[in-house]
Amino acid sequence: MAKKVTPYKDSVLGKKDQVTQMFDNISENYDGLNRVISFGIDIKWRKRVVAILKAKQPKTVLDIATGTGDLAINLVETGANKIVGLDISPGMLEVGKNKVAQKKLDKTIEMVVGDSENLPFETNSFDAITVAFGVRNFETLEKGLSEIYRVLAPNGTFVVLETSVPTKTPFKQGYNLYIKYMLPAIGKLFSKDKSAYTYLSESASVFPHGNAFNNILRKIGFIEVENKPQTFGVASIYVATK
């Protein structure tokens, strides 16, 4: 990333601890606010991630930065018999656990607290790994991706859904206005954590998207790397193989 962006500029904590604190703070209203901020389009993007993996027929899936479990729950449609949702924020996971329980998916989905840069799993453990809107929160991006590579099984599939920056006019200009002014304003209006959505917009703007992220994946060792821009380029789905 061009620079390290953190949620709380005056905090002495490292990025990882700040991100944990931030998501704990916003966990209660995260789902509703997410739908407002993305105009509900994030639901469609997650469905596309599921469709990609459904064709691969994985038996075991790890969803990193699972948050409140939206993608982990959707991944049941792949037919996997074991899905692990991992997140560093206990607050977000508690919301996710309640959603999993309400849908009676406890036997398929396990929600665990964990650090994406120090995954508590053996090498070659999962047929597929996903991260939705989480890689930009890694304290050390390459370390997190290396851990993902380690626990992914040979020939396994890695899918990332992440914000991107449109390159074509007028979408680029519209995106910049939205991400710089509107997203933080909505966050401040509806969230008790006034810094959270400013951080989310800033981190999105500096994340190495497109070919830059493709090249990082290849550097880690992934092959068959592909980038699928979504909705005028405001997000991207990256697919790679070990």
Side-chain angles (χ1 to χ4, degrees), residues 8-27:
Y8 309 109
K9 303 295 187 293
D10 57 350
S11 176
V12 297
L13 298 173
K15 179 175 178 177
K16 193 177 298 182
D17 290 331
Q18 288 190 42
V19 167
T20 303
Q21 179 183 338
M22 179 194 76
F23 280 113
D24 280 346
N25 288 343
I26 66 176
S27 58

Side-chain angles (χ1 to χ4, degrees), residues 116-175:
S116 58
E117 295 172 35
N118 294 283
L119 294 172
F121 309 110
E122 294 183 3
T123 299
N124 303 332
S125 293
F126 296 93
D127 298 328
I129 299 178
T130 58
V131 188
F133 307 114
V135 288
R136 74 175 187 269
N137 296 322
F138 290 2
E139 186 161 33
T140 307
L141 178 59
E142 291 191 14
K143 184 178 180 183
L145 293 175
S146 294
E147 270 291 88
I148 289 168
Y149 186 86
R150 179 183 68 79
V151 303
L152 184 63
N155 301 311
T157 305
F158 178 39
V159 184
V160 174
L161 169 59
E162 190 53 86
T163 54
S164 188
V165 179
T167 57
K168 294 182 179 179
T169 302
F171 307 114
K172 181 178 180 179
Q173 289 78 4
Y175 174 85

